[in-house]
Amino acid sequence: MPALKKKLEDRAAVIKALGHPSRLLIAEALMKGEMCVCDLKDLVGADMSTVSKHLTLMREAGVLNCEKRGLNIYYSLACDCLGDFLRCVDRLACGGKKTTCC
Amino acid sequence: MPALKKKLEDRAAVIKALGHPSRLLIAEALMKGEMCVCDLKDLVGADMSTVSKHLTLMREAGVLNCEKRGLNIYYSLACDCLGDFLRCVDRLACGGKKTTCC
DNA sequence: CATCTATTTGGCGAAATAGCCAAATAAAGC
DNA sequence: GCTTTATTTGGCTATTTCGCCAAATAGATG
């Protein structure tokens, strides 16, 4: 109900939509252009239904768009700002884990 | 074992560390400067142990640094590129969900 | 219309995550 | 050295997420 909470949850949903190895792989692949579900299935190497659910989640979070043409459904990134996004993630991931606290 | 998989998982861990309402709130607050756990507990409004676990997760993912001074432990963002990151997320979140497929 | 193809949906068990409580730790101050 | 204060850890349950399978849908093609 509180607007602030809803806003936080919407944004968390966007982030969550990218916070999974398969979905990250999908997002990176789509930076080079749209792809249909069966191609993404080959890329990810999981059951098509699994990939479809990942894609639905990403679309509902607002990260992906889709368009049907012929027999296939083509998915594409909803925003090209993801490049900077992933660069930032890379920088953080490279930092190496600090497993012990202060 | 495969290096690619590990890399994807590390990056997904960074993203996951931000993909939760409370952790997102924490990250935003820390953009303005470091804070100790008890202040963050007040901000989030959850049990201190819960907040502490969120912070540990974020630190282990490489998103936060911490430093002990006196009685308190101060947490801070490991990277200032998070501003752009969150702006991008905002843009995507504002797009509105597309609940129906093509 | 019957069929084929690409995709989504429903359902289920397994695994991961969240959040509370109580207990442990660690350093500070008396 | 004992107590107080700040934080983390362990343990537990409830919830969510993941990934497969089988079934349903939707549109193209014969």
Side-chain angles (χ1 to χ4, degrees), chain B residues 31-96:
Chain B
M31 287 178 69
K32 296 174 202 127
E34 64 176 20
M35 292 176 82
C36 68
V37 184
C38 54
D39 287 342
L40 290 168
K41 158 192 163 279
D42 291 342
L43 174 76
V44 170
D47 195 86
M48 166 125 54
S49 69
T50 298
V51 174
S52 173
K53 279 176 182 170
H54 282 309
L55 293 170
T56 299
L57 186 108
M58 295 172 86
R59 175 169 43 77
E60 286 183 351
V63 174
L64 298 186
N65 293 326
C66 65
E67 184 190 343
K68 187 161 205 169
R69 284 203 309 277
L71 266 178
N72 301 309
I73 298 186
Y74 292 89
Y75 279 87
S76 56
L77 289 184
C79 177
D80 53 355
C81 60
L82 288 194
D84 296 333
F85 181 100
L86 294 178
R87 247 182 301 282
C88 174
V89 168
D90 254 343
R91 240 207 287 180
L92 287 167
C94 287

Side-chain angles (χ1 to χ4, degrees), chain A residues 8-93:
Chain A
L8 275 173
E9 279 177 358
D10 284 350
R11 292 207 275 173
V14 169
I15 299 176
K16 257 189 270 191
L18 297 165
H20 181 285
S22 300
R23 297 198 288 265
L24 196 48
L25 189 59
I26 290 171
E28 283 179 7
L30 294 182
M31 287 178 70
K32 297 172 200 128
E34 63 177 19
M35 294 176 84
C36 69
V37 184
C38 53
D39 288 342
L40 290 168
K41 157 193 164 278
D42 292 341
L43 173 77
V44 170
D47 195 86
M48 167 123 57
S49 68
T50 299
V51 174
S52 174
K53 279 177 182 168
H54 281 309
L55 293 169
T56 298
L57 187 108
M58 293 171 88
R59 176 168 44 75
E60 286 184 351
V63 174
L64 298 186
N65 292 326
C66 66
E67 183 189 344
K68 187 163 206 168
R69 283 201 313 275
L71 266 180
N72 300 310
I73 299 187
Y74 293 89
Y75 278 87
S76 56
L77 289 185
C79 179
D80 54 355
C81 60
L82 288 195
D84 295 333
F85 180 100
L86 294 179
R87 245 182 304 281
C88 174
V89 169
D90 255 342
R91 236 204 293 179
L92 287 167

Side-chain angles (χ1 to χ4, degrees), chain A residues 1-12, chain B residues 21-22 24-26 28 32 43-44 90:
Chain A
M1 223 52 128
L4 173 64
K5 184 180 174 187
K6 168 127 181 50
K7 186 178 172 184
L8 275 173
E9 279 177 358
D10 284 350
R11 292 207 275 173
Chain B
S22 299
L24 196 48
L25 190 58
I26 289 171
E28 285 180 7
K32 296 174 202 127
L43 174 76
V44 170
D90 254 343

